[in-house]
Amino acid sequence: MNLGICISLFLLVCGLSWTLAQTNITCESKSQNCKQCLSNVSCLWCISTQSCLTYPYQTILPPHSLCPLNDARWGQCIINFQTLIITLSVLGAIIIIGFFICLFHCCKCENCGNSTQERKMQRKADKRTNAQEQRRSEMMARHDEIRQKYGLSRGSAYAKFDNSA
């Protein structure tokens, strides 16, 4: 949550410092109403004092002595600065949490899918191996049967050509 606040405030400060460097207009001269004051992004309207102030970008947040956060307006007259900061922080936190949830979900599903797929492939390989061994043992049994039927021993194939017997 603090990361969202830091990022939004950093971007705010960068934008304000660039705007202040580009314009030499002081905000205090625009103290007629909120809408006129906030037409310049480097200005801050304070409802309690009904004054337009130059945004204190060096301190990131306006100090309470200058204007309380719930009375400060920046960007739009409707939304106070405190609500703006809280909203941006919550949105930033939701986006970050959502990103990590999606990342976790995708990684978890990918790992589950791979292990399930690997298990299926292993089962198929085991079935093929078992079937092959069973066919081989049946074939060997048939061959032994044929050898027994014709009186052939399982010894050397050249034993019947041996002259010493």
Side-chain angles (χ1 to χ4, degrees), residues 41-156:
V41 292
S42 62
C43 297
L44 175 75
W45 179 258
C46 187
I47 289 182
S48 59
T49 60
Q50 293 291 312
S51 61
C52 188
L53 307 164
T54 302
Y55 190 89
Y57 63 91
Q58 296 90 355
T59 59
I60 298 176
L61 292 175
H64 194 350
S65 60
L66 184 64
C67 186
L69 281 180
N70 59 346
D71 288 338
R73 303 291 190 258
W74 180 77
Q76 293 209 350
C77 296
I78 299 170
I79 303 170
N80 68 33
F81 201 72
Q82 187 174 17
T83 305
L84 181 68
I85 291 172
I86 292 170
T87 304
L88 289 176
S89 300
V90 168
L91 287 175
I94 288 171
I95 290 170
I96 290 169
I97 291 170
F99 172 75
F100 281 115
I101 287 173
C102 288
L103 186 68
F104 176 73
H105 180 70
C106 290
C107 290
K108 182 180 176 189
C109 288
E110 186 177 302
N111 289 341
C112 290
N114 284 345
S115 62
T116 304
Q117 195 174 22
E118 287 174 6
R119 277 187 254 141
K120 283 182 181 179
M121 290 174 59
Q122 185 64 38
R123 279 195 299 258
K124 285 182 180 179
D126 289 343
K127 281 182 182 179
R128 281 193 304 265
T129 305
N130 289 340
Q132 187 178 15
E133 286 178 13
Q134 186 178 3
R135 285 192 305 270
R136 184 177 289 133
S137 65
E138 287 173 0
M139 185 177 67
M140 293 299 281
R142 277 194 311 254
H143 288 175
D144 287 344
E145 224 176 86
I146 292 171
R147 282 189 193 104
Q148 253 182 348
K149 182 178 179 182
Y150 293 105
L152 300 173
S153 67
R154 195 163 175 152
S156 170

